[in-house]
Amino acid sequence: MNKITFIIALFLVLEIKAVFCAGQTSIIPEPLFSKKESGKNIEVKTIFLEASPAFDKVGKYIKNELETQHHIPVTTQKTTAKSVRLNLVFSSDIENAEGYELSVKKREINITASSENGIFYGFQSLRQLLTPVFSNTGTYSLVPCVIKDEPRYGWRGFMLDESRHFFGKKKVKQILDLMALNKLNTFHWHLTDEPGWRIEIKAYPELTRTGAIGNYTNPEAAPAFYTQKDIEDIVHYAAERFIQVVPEIDMPGHASAAVRSYPYLSGGGTKEHPDFTFNPGKEEVYQFLTNVLDEVSSLFPSPYIHIGGDEVHFGNQKWSADPAILQLMEKHDLKNTREVEHYFIKRMNDTIQSFDKRMIGWDEIVESGVSPKSSVVMWWRHDKPQVLEEALEKGYPVILCPRIPLYFDFVQQESDTNGRKWGGRYCSSDSVYVFPDNLPVDVNQKDILGIQANLWSERFASLEAVDYMMWPRLSALAEAAWSASSKKDFDHFLGKMKNMYQIYDQYNVYYFDLFSPLYHPEPKVLQKH
């Protein structure tokens, strides 16, 4: 390497590691406003934490994270001349509940917000600004600065499919930790589908004795599921990180695991998708689902329950000849099986409302005529933009999660083979990052609640494979969901990923490296038994 090349390379490294550069920060997602202040960098060895009584809960989280993740001693009793003072300050002037102001000057740090959520997100920014000086001793440096920030969207989500392959509590908690760092606030949990039923329902023990057997790769794998105690633990863990957990109980399709457990529920299926549907003509089915949703609603404080409602045509061929369904059609003047499906969706929406929850469904529910006042649509069919437009015209609140570019079971580079493509298209980090500003609708209208990435797990049985598909695309999603469009710059985002990769390494995440794709090779595909 000649001298000129070395100088250029050194300059690039320094630019990447810079905490503030050209009015932008090293923080992911990029804040709305940031300014580097004059003065020397602050050395941080110990912190004196003082919190308003309104911020007691988040204060305990901050103390724990500083001590366990950054090895910085924190005292809440008294300050010393060598301590940096961290103040958590309440201000009603900050209107956005997730907004915050962060200031660093001399030996004092202020995080100001009108809610614990805002304090929490201000702290996540602070964590990313802490530059290790001696990482093994917990000594850090901070640049004097002022940051004012709030999110673009209120719904910033990630969905994990654990029906097809089960990953367990430890993995879910790691995902929640990194979601919190990236200011994502919704974990959509796909718990039931064809391969397996993954949540304990005490009224129906066969759901986990039989329905939890197997996965997409091995239909005879030992039962794998979450007990209700596990669910409570994870929901509590998420809540400490200001993440809501939204459960999905699939119906009336994708019901095979439930039907294996209780065959009387079956509405039939096909050779490829056996016993795919619940039977919408049987009152016993509605009673079963009401009892299941009763337990589910008590486990999840979130105001939402997702019922799926998609791809029913994969397995409803027997409906047109089923005696119970024919009787239902006659009784309610339903002209075809599509109207039977819509009847089912409306009825389950009423059930969910009875539990003081709001129903979420995939975008097929737009055709059902269910009330926009009691339901939310997830637009997933990127090849049907007319469905998105129809949903918005009818006044449905919408969450954007189209296959292209937000299905993370699609490959992220041309050469990868373990994952899907759509007519040659795939989901690269830059395509995730520029979303949703390339849509043919006004993406700032009030009925668009936010955006979400979905990881379906047919092809991903190992933890390494899940990591590889999630990261860094989920960080790109986080910036797309939080940062104002005017603050987005993919080249700058790439520079910030150098810092984020160090954090991934701390969490032992097997990520896709945007700079050196061979650093972590694509995990191998497991063959079906």
Side-chain angles (χ1 to χ4, degrees):
M1 180 184 292
N2 62 39
K3 185 176 180 180
I4 293 176
T5 305
F6 174 78
I7 291 172
I8 292 172
L10 179 61
F11 173 79
L12 289 174
V13 169
L14 291 173
E15 183 181 41
I16 286 169
K17 289 185 174 293
V19 175
F20 285 83
C21 178
Q24 296 172 306
T25 72
S26 63
I27 297 169
I28 294 176
E30 185 67 31
L32 186 62
F33 169 85
S34 61
K35 181 182 178 183
K36 182 180 180 298
E37 298 285 78
S38 61
K40 295 181 179 179
N41 287 10
I42 301 168
E43 187 180 72
V44 181
K45 288 186 176 180
T46 62
I47 285 180
F48 168 60
L49 176 63
E50 185 164 32
S52 159
F55 300 142
D56 181 61
K57 172 187 166 185
V58 72
K60 291 177 181 177
Y61 167 87
I62 290 173
K63 182 177 187 298
N64 181 70
E65 289 295 298
L66 287 171
E67 291 180 338
T68 60
Q69 296 298 322
H70 299 279
H71 309 292
I72 300 175
V74 178
T75 176
T76 57
Q77 299 301 315
K78 61 180 181 179
T79 186
T80 67
K82 294 183 179 181
S83 295
V84 173
R85 187 184 184 98
L86 173 56
N87 301 307
L88 309 183
V89 182
F90 173 82
S91 173
S92 59
D93 292 337
I94 297 178
E95 295 181 2
N96 190 303
E98 294 183 302
Y100 66 91
E101 294 181 7
L102 170 63
S103 68
V104 179
K105 58 182 179 180
K106 295 184 180 179
R107 302 200 61 78
E108 186 169 41
I109 304 165
N110 290 311
I111 304 176
T112 305
S114 59
S115 74
E116 287 198 303
N117 305 61
I119 295 292
F120 181 84
Y121 293 126
F123 174 67
Q124 300 308 324
S125 292
L126 176 65
R127 289 179 66 183
Q128 295 185 49
L129 291 176
L130 287 167
T131 303
V133 179
F134 304 106
S135 58
N136 61 334
T137 63
T139 300
Y140 288 82
S141 175
L142 269 177
V143 175
C145 63
V146 173
I147 292 173
K148 298 179 181 181
D149 200 10
E150 63 181 44
R152 179 182 189 182
Y153 291 118
W155 185 291
R156 306 179 299 280
F158 172 67
M159 187 218 76
L160 180 66
D161 166 21
E162 286 206 81
S163 173
R164 292 171 175 84
H165 286 108
F166 183 85
F167 305 110
K169 273 206 309 184
K170 183 178 180 181
K171 189 61 184 176
V172 168
K173 286 185 174 182
Q174 182 198 64
I175 290 170
L176 292 170
D177 283 335
L178 286 169
M179 284 179 64
L181 182 71
N182 286 270
K183 300 187 178 76
L184 296 167
N185 65 0
T186 301
F187 179 60
H188 171 182
W189 211 357
H190 191 80
L191 291 166
T192 74
D193 211 305
E194 294 181 80
W197 185 282
R198 307 301 182 197
I199 176 173
E200 177 190 24
I201 301 297
K202 292 183 178 179
Y204 299 102
E206 209 59 41
L207 286 171
T208 44
R209 277 202 292 257
T210 298
I213 294 173
N215 55 48
Y216 188 85
T217 306
N218 178 9
E220 297 181 359
F225 64 94
Y226 293 101
T227 66
Q228 293 200 358
K229 186 176 180 181
D230 291 333
I231 297 286
E232 290 170 355
D233 180 31
I234 290 171
V235 167
H236 176 73
Y237 193 86
E240 289 182 327
R241 287 147 183 81
F242 296 87
I243 296 172
Q244 67 171 337
V245 183
V246 177
E248 182 176 355
I249 308 298
D250 242 330
M251 60 183 81
H254 294 276
S256 306
V259 173
R260 284 200 306 274
S261 307
Y262 296 97
Y264 73 88
L265 300 170
S266 181
T270 62
K271 182 178 180 180
E272 186 178 0
H273 301 283
D275 292 314
F276 184 75
T277 62
F278 290 114
N279 190 320
K282 292 182 177 181
E283 281 302 313
E284 301 98 304
V285 168
Y286 295 102
Q287 188 59 58
F288 167 83
L289 291 171
T290 298
N291 293 341
V292 166
L293 292 173
D294 189 11
E295 291 193 33
V296 169
S297 66
S298 68
L299 289 168
F300 294 91
S302 165
Y304 304 100
I305 293 178
H306 201 304
I307 68 158
D310 63 315
E311 299 178 329
V312 180
H313 64 280
F314 281 8
N316 67 351
Q317 288 78 356
K318 295 182 180 180
W319 284 14
S320 58
D322 184 274
I325 295 175
L326 290 173
Q327 187 176 0
L328 177 77
M329 292 173 70
E330 183 178 358
K331 180 178 180 180
H332 294 281
D333 192 26
L334 305 174
K335 297 178 179 60
N336 50 49
T337 56
R338 178 64 63 87
E339 292 191 5
V340 172
E341 178 185 332
H342 297 166
Y343 168 87
F344 176 93
I345 295 295
K346 290 176 182 176
R347 186 158 172 183
M348 296 317 302
N349 183 49
D350 291 341
T351 299
I352 289 171
Q353 280 187 277
S354 73
F355 297 123
D356 294 323
K357 304 282 188 179
R358 193 168 191 174
M359 184 187 82
I360 301 178
W362 301 109
D363 61 40
E364 285 92 334
I365 71 167
V366 173
E367 300 173 8
S368 72
V370 68
S371 172
K373 294 181 179 180
S374 59
S375 58
V376 175
V377 171
M378 282 193 170
W379 178 63
W380 68 279
R381 292 180 289 178
H382 74 279
D383 54 326
K384 294 185 180 293
Q386 69 275 15
V387 176
L388 170 60
E389 293 169 1
E390 181 183 356
L392 293 170
E393 286 172 2
K394 291 181 176 179
Y396 284 99
V398 175
I399 297 156
L400 305 172
C401 54
R403 279 174 298 213
I404 302 291
L406 299 186
Y407 270 30
F408 286 2
D409 50 314
F410 280 69
V411 298
Q412 52 196 321
Q413 63 178 348
E414 181 67 36
S415 59
D416 280 354
T417 58
N418 186 17
R420 302 166 62 194
K421 291 181 182 177
W422 186 278
R425 297 177 66 190
Y426 52 94
C427 302
S428 60
S429 289
D430 58 326
S431 68
V432 174
Y433 187 86
V434 300
F435 187 83
D437 296 296
N438 51 358
L439 288 177
V441 297
D442 175 11
V443 295
N444 296 313
Q445 60 186 285
K446 64 178 180 59
D447 284 335
I448 293 182
L449 303 184
I451 64 177
Q452 174 175 298
N454 300 328
L455 178 55
W456 304 100
S457 65
E458 286 96 333
R459 297 168 182 253
F460 313 107
S462 72
L463 301 183
E464 280 189 352
V466 169
D467 283 346
Y468 184 85
M469 302 308 283
M470 286 180 64
W471 307 105
R473 288 190 291 188
L474 201 52
S475 289
L477 181 281
E479 190 148 315
W482 179 283
S483 302
S485 57
S486 61
K487 303 298 294 185
K488 291 166 64 176
D489 179 335
F490 187 69
D491 289 337
H492 180 64
F493 172 80
L494 283 178
K496 295 188 293 185
M497 281 310 306
K498 289 290 185 179
N499 293 331
M500 186 58 74
Y501 282 157
Q502 294 178 14
I503 297 173
Y504 293 171
D505 287 335
Q506 292 171 8
Y507 282 91
N508 296 314
V509 167
Y510 190 88
Y511 52 86
F512 172 76
D513 193 328
L514 290 163
F515 304 98
S516 303
L518 295 180
Y519 175 63
H520 283 158
E522 181 185 22
K524 295 180 180 179
V525 181
L526 293 180
Q527 300 300 317
K528 292 186 74 171
H529 285 214

